[in-house]
């Protein structure tokens, strides 16, 4: 009854008919561990509020969150709104258990994890927080994320830091070929290597560990953009060996929009300046100095907890395998069609993949798929990488991917 009233209230607030969400009234109970695949993924699909008329194959940009997360979010928000200063700051603001659980997923110590709003905030905290001098060199790739490139260019313009660019041979399943350009760019003046673990344009996984190992030998700081890898493929920052990393929790963890994680190795915390100055009583080596943001949404942060529950309910290995299976289902058939070429490697990839379709500009094709077939994909046009990126999610079915394949056949 309580659930029904809650949903009726939400439907009224959203201005949508209750019938559209009535099927959420009875929570579907998770199937037993030995349930067959179809039942299990059917349950997962039922947990996501799907768009009524769109096949969403752009889950790489940002992920929807499952029912347990948005319900928690709305409950927290409703309750916070009754007396915000009291409820948010005295009752709801319980970061530590969340910090511990996020750290455990990344194989690190909670004292190395700050909760921030997204990868951009996490990575730029480090980019702007490192003490670098004129002439110090930073290695980065042309295929890194544009906001991170912009941040490094700002340091170049402001502080005279020199940027050394790497061009990766994308796509590639040969680890040495991906590692070599970084090693060749190292000079005695190299201070930082910026690495993207899973390249958003094509889904390429970059073997960052051997690059980091070489950097460590030379005392070079390594920063990993793990926006797309955390909670998608196995990520263990200690094992990886990097000094710092940034993650968006609203991608593969399915946490609320505007949630992220900053990892900094314990012994490196003291040397990095926070982007928003922390009060003087906060010790330099305390990771919480990076959380001094001012007023922010505590309900949003707290609703990371049910996203972690959901992640563990499925299990990382099962998530990775499912996303890889869906990718190979559509991609292996798509590349049989004339004029279609994969820009994604076969082995070093997970859920994201990009294809080039001869004769079509990426945005034109993405618009065509949306307008004619109601299929939403991402247009990619960056440094010569031109295509459409297709990112299924855990809730995606093979039938939906068949619709994409049929559309591509007609195209
Ligand atoms: C590789 C990579 N890095 C960083 C980001 C920035 O993430 P956010 O917008 O959550 O800060 C993205 C976003 O798609 C990304 O793909």
């Amino acid at each position: 009854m309580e659930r029904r009233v809650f949903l009726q209230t939400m439907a009224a607030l959203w201005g949508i008919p209750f019938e559209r969400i009535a099927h959420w009234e009875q929570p579907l109970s998770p199937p037993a561990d030995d349930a067959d695949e179809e039942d299990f993924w059917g349950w997962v699909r039922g947990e996501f509020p799907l768009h009524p008329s769109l096949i969403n194959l752009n889950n790489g940009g940002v992920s929807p969150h499952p029912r347990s997360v948005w319900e928690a979010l709305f409950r927290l928000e409703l309750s916070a709104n009754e007396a915000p200063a009291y409820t948010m700051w005295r009752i709801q603001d319980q970061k530590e258990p969340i910090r511990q659980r996020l750290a455990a997923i990344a194989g690190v110590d909670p004292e190395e994890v700050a909760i921030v709003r997204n990868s951009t905030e996490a990575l730029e905290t480090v980019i702007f927080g490192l003490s670098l001098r004129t002439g110090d060199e930073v290695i980065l790739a042309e295929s890194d994320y544009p906001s991170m490139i912009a941040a490094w260019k700002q340091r170049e313009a402001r502080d005279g830091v020199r940027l050394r660019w790497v061009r990766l041979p994308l796509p590639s399943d040969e680890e040495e070929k991906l590692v070599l350009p970084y090693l060749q760019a190292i000079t005695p003046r190299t201070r930082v290597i910026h690495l993207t673990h899973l390249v958003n344009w094509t889904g390429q996984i970059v073997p960052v560990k051997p690059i980091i190992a070489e950097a460590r030998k030379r005392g070079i700081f390594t920063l990993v953009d793990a926006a797309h890898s955390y909670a998608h493929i196995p990520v263990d920052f200690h094992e990886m060996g990097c000094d710092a990393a940034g993650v968006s929790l609203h991608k593969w963890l399915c946490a609320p929009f505007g949630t992220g994680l900053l990892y900094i190795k314990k012994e490196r915390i003291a040397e990095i300046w926070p982007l928003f100055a922390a009060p003087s009583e906060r010790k330099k080596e305390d990771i919480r100095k990076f959380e001094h943001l001012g007023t922010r949404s505590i309900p949003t942060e707290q609703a990371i907890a049910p996203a972690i529950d959901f992640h563990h309910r499925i299990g990382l290995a099962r998530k990775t395998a499912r996303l890889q299976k869906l990718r190979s289902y559509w991609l292996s058939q798509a590349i049989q069609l004339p004029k279609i070429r994969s820009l994604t490697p076969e082995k070093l990839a997970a859920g994201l993949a990009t294809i080039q379709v001869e004769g079509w500009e990426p945005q034109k094709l993405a618009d065509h798929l949306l307008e004619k077939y109601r299929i939403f994909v991402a247009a990619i046009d960056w440094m010569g990488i031109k295509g459409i990126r297709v990112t299924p999610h855990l809730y995606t079915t093979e039938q939906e991917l068949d619709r994409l394949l049929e559309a591509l056949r007609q195209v």
Side-chain angles (χ1 to χ4, degrees):
M1 192 58 197
E2 203 182 281
R3 187 176 189 86
R4 188 182 178 85
V5 171
F6 169 71
L7 288 170
Q8 279 170 339
T9 313
M10 297 327 301
L13 282 173
W14 295 332
I16 57 171
F18 176 65
E19 299 73 61
R20 275 246 334 250
I21 59 166
H23 63 287
W24 292 331
E25 206 181 335
Q26 289 308 321
L28 293 172
S29 46
D33 282 340
D34 58 355
D36 80 28
E37 282 283 287
E38 220 168 294
D39 281 356
F40 185 80
W41 294 111
W43 167 74
V44 169
R45 185 173 172 84
E47 290 298 290
F48 282 90
L50 302 176
H51 192 284
S53 68
L54 195 72
I55 297 182
N56 180 14
L57 294 175
N58 180 5
N59 293 286
V62 61
S63 167
H65 24 280
R67 177 219 329 239
S68 54
V69 174
W70 65 255
E71 280 188 2
L73 187 60
F74 279 119
R75 285 211 180 94
L76 288 157
E77 188 71 40
L78 279 179
S79 132
N81 205 42
E82 288 163 4
Y86 170 77
T87 313
M88 280 209 298
W89 295 339
R90 287 217 193 165
I91 313 287
Q92 291 182 346
D93 198 2
Q94 308 287 338
K95 271 202 187 57
E96 298 312 314
I98 295 178
R99 189 190 312 284
Q100 283 166 18
R101 300 182 71 201
L102 289 174
I105 295 175
V108 300
D109 191 307
E111 292 301 316
E112 299 175 309
V113 165
I115 299 170
V116 295
R117 289 169 297 180
N118 47 47
S119 301
T120 306
E121 184 179 343
L123 295 163
E124 295 205 20
T125 293
V126 179
I127 294 172
F128 292 114
L130 276 168
S131 298
L132 294 173
R133 275 182 277 185
T134 306
D136 284 350
E137 290 182 1
V138 175
I139 298 174
L140 65 169
E142 288 172 349
S143 45
D144 289 327
Y145 195 70
S147 312
M148 276 66 253
I149 290 180
W152 281 118
K153 283 190 170 168
Q154 189 165 306
R155 280 220 77 169
E156 181 184 42
R158 205 167 166 181
D159 304 324
V161 164
R162 287 181 53 195
L163 305 184
R164 286 182 71 89
W165 295 93
V166 159
R167 175 167 289 186
L168 296 179
L170 301 175
S172 177
D173 273 315
E174 291 179 67
E175 299 209 353
E176 316 81 71
K177 287 198 176 157
L178 294 157
V179 170
L180 201 62
Y182 286 100
L183 304 190
Q184 285 173 338
I186 295 176
T187 77
R189 303 218 59 170
T190 308
R191 298 287 171 268
V192 182
I193 303 182
H194 180 109
L195 295 157
T196 302
H197 191 198
L198 198 157
V199 177
N200 57 294
W201 312 114
T202 63
Q204 171 83 50
I205 295 172
V206 176
V208 293
K209 202 174 155 188
I211 306 166
I212 292 168
E214 280 304 318
R216 281 183 77 174
K217 282 188 209 157
R218 298 166 164 88
I220 298 169
F221 191 98
T222 46
L223 174 61
V224 173
D225 179 340
H228 268 294
S229 49
Y230 182 93
H232 179 186
I233 58 172
V235 168
D236 180 324
F237 293 129
H238 278 182
E239 212 236 332
M240 203 184 265
C242 61
D243 291 299
V247 167
S248 293
L249 301 173
H250 45 233
K251 290 191 189 287
W252 297 100
L253 190 71
C254 307
F257 310 134
T259 52
L261 174 164
L262 165 63
Y263 160 74
I264 302 184
K265 193 192 276 184
K266 214 177 265 168
E267 53 270 34
R268 292 292 205 170
I269 297 172
E271 75 193 73
I272 299 172
W273 293 88
L275 213 46
F276 302 94
S280 54
E281 61 271 20
R282 185 66 82 201
K283 291 206 183 98
K284 266 167 71 177
E285 55 279 3
D286 185 347
I287 192 77
R288 293 164 193 79
K289 74 180 179 183
F290 299 109
E291 293 171 347
H292 193 69
L293 183 63
T295 306
R296 92 282 305 266
S297 168
I298 303 300
T300 298
E301 265 179 22
Q302 288 299 311
I304 295 171
I308 299 173
D309 293 338
F310 188 72
H311 171 80
H312 288 310
R313 178 65 191 83
I314 298 175
L316 176 65
R318 182 132 72 162
K319 266 173 97 166
T320 312
R322 173 71 177 177
L323 292 166
Q324 277 170 336
K325 185 175 167 195
L326 291 172
R327 188 228 336 142
S328 91
Y329 178 81
W330 77 267
L331 187 57
S332 61
Q333 296 183 68
I335 56 174
Q336 303 301 321
L337 299 171
K339 301 187 181 178
I340 292 189
R341 183 165 82 87
S342 171
L343 302 180
T344 300
E346 273 176 36
K347 284 183 253 143
L348 289 175
L352 286 78
T354 303
I355 49 169
Q356 189 168 46
V357 183
E358 206 184 301
W360 281 89
E361 277 305 305
Q363 194 58 59
K364 278 241 162 65
L365 179 53
D367 290 347
H368 181 71
L369 290 174
L370 183 59
E371 280 153 26
K372 181 141 189 226
Y373 304 97
R374 300 290 295 156
I375 296 174
F376 185 54
V377 298
I380 302 289
D381 193 345
W382 180 257
M383 304 301 296
I385 305 169
K386 277 171 167 270
I388 53 160
R389 188 187 69 191
V390 175
T391 317
H393 206 309
L394 299 171
Y395 62 77
T396 305
T397 59
E398 289 182 354
Q399 287 77 5
E400 287 176 313
L401 296 172
D402 289 341
R403 297 258 304 270
L404 169 74
L405 288 163
E406 185 47 37
L408 289 175
R409 245 169 241 128
Q410 290 183 27
V411 160

mmCIF file of all heavy atoms in Angstrom, residues 3 7 14 16 18-28 45-50 67 70-71:
data_model
loop_
_atom_site.group_PDB
_atom_site.id
_atom_site.type_symbol
_atom_site.label_atom_id
_atom_site.label_comp_id
_atom_site.label_asym_id
_atom_site.label_seq_id
_atom_site.Cartn_x
_atom_site.Cartn_y
_atom_site.Cartn_z
ATOM 1 N N ARG A 3 3.843 1.511 -1.004
ATOM 2 C CA ARG A 3 4.509 1.601 -2.294
ATOM 3 C C ARG A 3 3.595 2.230 -3.350
ATOM 4 O O ARG A 3 3.998 3.072 -4.128
ATOM 5 C CB ARG A 3 4.883 0.168 -2.690
ATOM 6 C CG ARG A 3 5.715 0.082 -3.904
ATOM 7 C CD ARG A 3 6.104 -1.363 -4.153
ATOM 8 N NE ARG A 3 7.074 -1.337 -5.207
ATOM 9 C CZ ARG A 3 8.368 -1.154 -5.004
ATOM 10 N NH1 ARG A 3 8.843 -1.054 -3.793
ATOM 11 N NH2 ARG A 3 9.191 -1.096 -6.015
ATOM 12 N N LEU A 7 4.166 5.645 -5.402
ATOM 13 C CA LEU A 7 4.200 5.716 -6.869
ATOM 14 C C LEU A 7 3.137 6.676 -7.408
ATOM 15 O O LEU A 7 3.387 7.405 -8.370
ATOM 16 C CB LEU A 7 4.008 4.318 -7.467
ATOM 17 C CG LEU A 7 5.220 3.401 -7.293
ATOM 18 C CD1 LEU A 7 4.889 1.970 -7.669
ATOM 19 C CD2 LEU A 7 6.396 3.879 -8.140
ATOM 20 N N TRP A 14 5.305 13.926 -11.520
ATOM 21 C CA TRP A 14 5.914 13.915 -12.859
ATOM 22 C C TRP A 14 4.932 14.335 -13.945
ATOM 23 O O TRP A 14 5.317 14.540 -15.102
ATOM 24 C CB TRP A 14 6.401 12.508 -13.223
ATOM 25 C CG TRP A 14 7.505 11.993 -12.376
ATOM 26 C CD1 TRP A 14 8.445 12.727 -11.723
ATOM 27 C CD2 TRP A 14 7.794 10.630 -12.078
ATOM 28 N NE1 TRP A 14 9.291 11.895 -11.039
ATOM 29 C CE2 TRP A 14 8.920 10.602 -11.246
ATOM 30 C CE3 TRP A 14 7.206 9.432 -12.431
ATOM 31 C CZ2 TRP A 14 9.469 9.436 -10.757
ATOM 32 C CZ3 TRP A 14 7.755 8.258 -11.956
ATOM 33 C CH2 TRP A 14 8.870 8.268 -11.122
ATOM 34 N N ILE A 16 2.615 12.284 -15.196
ATOM 35 C CA ILE A 16 2.387 11.191 -16.153
ATOM 36 C C ILE A 16 1.321 10.253 -15.587
ATOM 37 O O ILE A 16 1.150 10.170 -14.365
ATOM 38 C CB ILE A 16 3.680 10.382 -16.451
ATOM 39 C CG1 ILE A 16 4.288 9.817 -15.173
ATOM 40 C CG2 ILE A 16 4.700 11.196 -17.205
ATOM 41 C CD1 ILE A 16 5.420 8.851 -15.417
ATOM 42 N N PHE A 18 -0.592 7.266 -14.019
ATOM 43 C CA PHE A 18 -0.124 6.237 -13.094
ATOM 44 C C PHE A 18 0.033 4.874 -13.796
ATOM 45 O O PHE A 18 0.934 4.100 -13.487
ATOM 46 C CB PHE A 18 -1.107 6.112 -11.916
ATOM 47 C CG PHE A 18 -0.746 5.003 -10.972
ATOM 48 C CD1 PHE A 18 0.430 5.055 -10.227
ATOM 49 C CD2 PHE A 18 -1.568 3.889 -10.836
ATOM 50 C CE1 PHE A 18 0.782 4.035 -9.362
ATOM 51 C CE2 PHE A 18 -1.223 2.856 -9.978
ATOM 52 C CZ PHE A 18 -0.049 2.931 -9.244
ATOM 53 N N GLU A 19 -0.843 4.627 -14.791
ATOM 54 C CA GLU A 19 -0.795 3.319 -15.480
ATOM 55 C C GLU A 19 0.589 3.061 -16.082
ATOM 56 O O GLU A 19 1.015 1.923 -16.200
ATOM 57 C CB GLU A 19 -1.821 3.243 -16.639
ATOM 58 C CG GLU A 19 -3.281 3.401 -16.233
ATOM 59 C CD GLU A 19 -3.602 4.837 -15.857
ATOM 60 O OE1 GLU A 19 -3.460 5.721 -16.713
ATOM 61 O OE2 GLU A 19 -3.968 5.074 -14.688
ATOM 62 N N ARG A 20 1.265 4.136 -16.474
ATOM 63 C CA ARG A 20 2.580 3.953 -17.104
ATOM 64 C C ARG A 20 3.607 3.361 -16.145
ATOM 65 O O ARG A 20 4.574 2.749 -16.562
ATOM 66 C CB ARG A 20 3.120 5.303 -17.640
ATOM 67 C CG ARG A 20 2.641 5.644 -18.985
ATOM 68 C CD ARG A 20 3.697 5.674 -20.096
ATOM 69 N NE ARG A 20 5.071 5.944 -19.785
ATOM 70 C CZ ARG A 20 5.710 7.048 -20.107
ATOM 71 N NH1 ARG A 20 5.095 8.012 -20.719
ATOM 72 N NH2 ARG A 20 6.990 7.176 -19.853
ATOM 73 N N ILE A 21 3.409 3.593 -14.853
ATOM 74 C CA ILE A 21 4.405 3.076 -13.912
ATOM 75 C C ILE A 21 3.809 2.028 -12.963
ATOM 76 O O ILE A 21 4.487 1.551 -12.066
ATOM 77 C CB ILE A 21 5.078 4.204 -13.099
ATOM 78 C CG1 ILE A 21 4.040 4.993 -12.304
ATOM 79 C CG2 ILE A 21 5.894 5.124 -13.979
ATOM 80 C CD1 ILE A 21 4.688 5.883 -11.248
ATOM 81 N N ALA A 22 2.532 1.680 -13.227
ATOM 82 C CA ALA A 22 1.856 0.774 -12.293
ATOM 83 C C ALA A 22 2.562 -0.573 -12.174
ATOM 84 O O ALA A 22 2.515 -1.213 -11.133
ATOM 85 C CB ALA A 22 0.409 0.581 -12.720
ATOM 86 N N HIS A 23 3.247 -0.983 -13.236
ATOM 87 C CA HIS A 23 3.895 -2.293 -13.166
ATOM 88 C C HIS A 23 5.070 -2.294 -12.192
ATOM 89 O O HIS A 23 5.616 -3.330 -11.886
ATOM 90 C CB HIS A 23 4.338 -2.763 -14.558
ATOM 91 C CG HIS A 23 5.369 -1.893 -15.190
ATOM 92 N ND1 HIS A 23 5.066 -0.651 -15.688
ATOM 93 C CD2 HIS A 23 6.693 -2.061 -15.390
ATOM 94 C CE1 HIS A 23 6.162 -0.097 -16.185
ATOM 95 N NE2 HIS A 23 7.163 -0.931 -16.009
ATOM 96 N N TRP A 24 5.444 -1.112 -11.700
ATOM 97 C CA TRP A 24 6.516 -1.074 -10.690
ATOM 98 C C TRP A 24 5.966 -1.270 -9.272
ATOM 99 O O TRP A 24 6.706 -1.303 -8.317
ATOM 100 C CB TRP A 24 7.264 0.263 -10.738
ATOM 101 C CG TRP A 24 8.050 0.435 -11.981
ATOM 102 C CD1 TRP A 24 8.604 -0.566 -12.733
ATOM 103 C CD2 TRP A 24 8.370 1.654 -12.638
ATOM 104 N NE1 TRP A 24 9.249 -0.032 -13.819
ATOM 105 C CE2 TRP A 24 9.123 1.329 -13.788
ATOM 106 C CE3 TRP A 24 8.105 2.988 -12.374
ATOM 107 C CZ2 TRP A 24 9.610 2.288 -14.659
ATOM 108 C CZ3 TRP A 24 8.583 3.944 -13.243
ATOM 109 C CH2 TRP A 24 9.324 3.596 -14.385
ATOM 110 N N GLU A 25 4.609 -1.371 -9.222
ATOM 111 C CA GLU A 25 3.980 -1.438 -7.916
ATOM 112 C C GLU A 25 4.462 -2.658 -7.138
ATOM 113 O O GLU A 25 4.723 -2.596 -5.956
ATOM 114 C CB GLU A 25 2.474 -1.507 -8.132
ATOM 115 C CG GLU A 25 1.701 -0.976 -6.991
ATOM 116 C CD GLU A 25 0.221 -1.109 -7.260
ATOM 117 O OE1 GLU A 25 -0.179 -1.155 -8.449
ATOM 118 O OE2 GLU A 25 -0.522 -1.194 -6.301
ATOM 119 N N GLN A 26 4.509 -3.758 -7.818
ATOM 120 C CA GLN A 26 5.000 -4.976 -7.165
ATOM 121 C C GLN A 26 6.460 -5.153 -7.529
ATOM 122 O O GLN A 26 6.782 -5.383 -8.688
ATOM 123 C CB GLN A 26 4.223 -6.203 -7.675
ATOM 124 C CG GLN A 26 2.785 -6.278 -7.199
ATOM 125 C CD GLN A 26 2.662 -6.140 -5.697
ATOM 126 O OE1 GLN A 26 3.483 -6.676 -4.955
ATOM 127 N NE2 GLN A 26 1.674 -5.408 -5.240
ATOM 128 N N PRO A 27 7.358 -5.053 -6.558
ATOM 129 C CA PRO A 27 8.757 -5.246 -6.924
ATOM 130 C C PRO A 27 8.970 -6.655 -7.443
ATOM 131 O O PRO A 27 8.459 -7.607 -6.866
ATOM 132 C CB PRO A 27 9.505 -5.028 -5.613
ATOM 133 C CG PRO A 27 8.484 -5.110 -4.536
ATOM 134 C CD PRO A 27 7.144 -4.867 -5.137
ATOM 135 N N LEU A 28 9.656 -6.783 -8.542
ATOM 136 C CA LEU A 28 9.985 -8.119 -9.038
ATOM 137 C C LEU A 28 11.065 -8.657 -8.117
ATOM 138 O O LEU A 28 12.045 -7.981 -7.869
ATOM 139 C CB LEU A 28 10.564 -8.029 -10.447
ATOM 140 C CG LEU A 28 9.641 -7.580 -11.553
ATOM 141 C CD1 LEU A 28 10.438 -7.357 -12.820
ATOM 142 C CD2 LEU A 28 8.584 -8.642 -11.783
ATOM 143 N N ARG A 45 16.033 -6.304 -16.686
ATOM 144 C CA ARG A 45 15.333 -5.374 -17.578
ATOM 145 C C ARG A 45 14.146 -4.724 -16.855
ATOM 146 O O ARG A 45 13.911 -3.528 -16.978
ATOM 147 C CB ARG A 45 14.860 -6.127 -18.827
ATOM 148 C CG ARG A 45 14.231 -5.227 -19.868
ATOM 149 C CD ARG A 45 13.940 -6.015 -21.131
ATOM 150 N NE ARG A 45 13.166 -5.248 -22.086
ATOM 151 C CZ ARG A 45 13.684 -4.377 -22.951
ATOM 152 N NH1 ARG A 45 14.969 -4.162 -22.962
ATOM 153 N NH2 ARG A 45 12.916 -3.727 -23.798
ATOM 154 N N GLY A 46 13.431 -5.548 -16.092
ATOM 155 C CA GLY A 46 12.267 -5.030 -15.361
ATOM 156 C C GLY A 46 12.639 -3.980 -14.327
ATOM 157 O O GLY A 46 11.792 -3.208 -13.877
ATOM 158 N N GLU A 47 13.873 -3.950 -13.933
ATOM 159 C CA GLU A 47 14.319 -2.977 -12.924
ATOM 160 C C GLU A 47 14.569 -1.593 -13.512
ATOM 161 O O GLU A 47 14.743 -0.630 -12.778
ATOM 162 C CB GLU A 47 15.601 -3.466 -12.241
ATOM 163 C CG GLU A 47 15.399 -4.665 -11.328
ATOM 164 C CD GLU A 47 14.459 -4.329 -10.166
ATOM 165 O OE1 GLU A 47 14.857 -3.564 -9.292
ATOM 166 O OE2 GLU A 47 13.323 -4.827 -10.164
ATOM 167 N N PHE A 48 14.660 -1.510 -14.834
ATOM 168 C CA PHE A 48 14.965 -0.211 -15.455
ATOM 169 C C PHE A 48 13.700 0.428 -16.036
ATOM 170 O O PHE A 48 12.936 -0.243 -16.733
ATOM 171 C CB PHE A 48 16.004 -0.378 -16.572
ATOM 172 C CG PHE A 48 17.409 -0.540 -16.053
ATOM 173 C CD1 PHE A 48 17.904 -1.802 -15.766
ATOM 174 C CD2 PHE A 48 18.213 0.561 -15.828
ATOM 175 C CE1 PHE A 48 19.195 -1.966 -15.272
ATOM 176 C CE2 PHE A 48 19.510 0.406 -15.334
ATOM 177 C CZ PHE A 48 19.999 -0.857 -15.058
ATOM 178 N N PRO A 49 13.489 1.706 -15.785
ATOM 179 C CA PRO A 49 12.347 2.391 -16.372
ATOM 180 C C PRO A 49 12.656 2.733 -17.829
ATOM 181 O O PRO A 49 13.407 3.662 -18.095
ATOM 182 C CB PRO A 49 12.242 3.673 -15.527
ATOM 183 C CG PRO A 49 13.608 3.886 -14.973
ATOM 184 C CD PRO A 49 14.350 2.589 -14.982
ATOM 185 N N LEU A 50 12.114 1.972 -18.757
ATOM 186 C CA LEU A 50 12.507 2.151 -20.159
ATOM 187 C C LEU A 50 11.667 3.212 -20.864
ATOM 188 O O LEU A 50 10.490 3.393 -20.553
ATOM 189 C CB LEU A 50 12.375 0.813 -20.892
ATOM 190 C CG LEU A 50 13.219 -0.318 -20.289
ATOM 191 C CD1 LEU A 50 12.947 -1.628 -21.007
ATOM 192 C CD2 LEU A 50 14.698 0.028 -20.356
ATOM 193 N N ARG A 67 15.408 0.975 -10.722
ATOM 194 C CA ARG A 67 14.333 1.390 -9.834
ATOM 195 C C ARG A 67 14.778 1.603 -8.380
ATOM 196 O O ARG A 67 14.427 2.588 -7.741
ATOM 197 C CB ARG A 67 13.247 0.300 -9.895
ATOM 198 C CG ARG A 67 12.101 0.519 -8.992
ATOM 199 C CD ARG A 67 11.567 -0.720 -8.327
ATOM 200 N NE ARG A 67 11.682 -1.947 -9.055
ATOM 201 C CZ ARG A 67 10.640 -2.694 -9.388
ATOM 202 N NH1 ARG A 67 9.430 -2.259 -9.166
ATOM 203 N NH2 ARG A 67 10.820 -3.863 -9.946
ATOM 204 N N TRP A 70 16.474 5.083 -8.165
ATOM 205 C CA TRP A 70 15.666 6.304 -8.255
ATOM 206 C C TRP A 70 14.611 6.372 -7.169
ATOM 207 O O TRP A 70 14.238 7.440 -6.695
ATOM 208 C CB TRP A 70 15.126 6.590 -9.650
ATOM 209 C CG TRP A 70 14.140 5.641 -10.242
ATOM 210 C CD1 TRP A 70 14.382 4.722 -11.221
ATOM 211 C CD2 TRP A 70 12.757 5.539 -9.933
ATOM 212 N NE1 TRP A 70 13.229 4.042 -11.519
ATOM 213 C CE2 TRP A 70 12.215 4.526 -10.744
ATOM 214 C CE3 TRP A 70 11.913 6.192 -9.044
ATOM 215 C CZ2 TRP A 70 10.887 4.145 -10.699
ATOM 216 C CZ3 TRP A 70 10.578 5.820 -8.989
ATOM 217 C CH2 TRP A 70 10.079 4.807 -9.812
ATOM 218 N N GLU A 71 14.141 5.202 -6.686
ATOM 219 C CA GLU A 71 13.185 5.247 -5.570
ATOM 220 C C GLU A 71 13.867 5.815 -4.330
ATOM 221 O O GLU A 71 13.317 6.662 -3.624
ATOM 222 C CB GLU A 71 12.636 3.850 -5.270
ATOM 223 C CG GLU A 71 11.538 3.445 -6.223
ATOM 224 C CD GLU A 71 10.840 2.156 -5.828
ATOM 225 O OE1 GLU A 71 11.178 1.572 -4.784
ATOM 226 O OE2 GLU A 71 9.956 1.747 -6.584
#
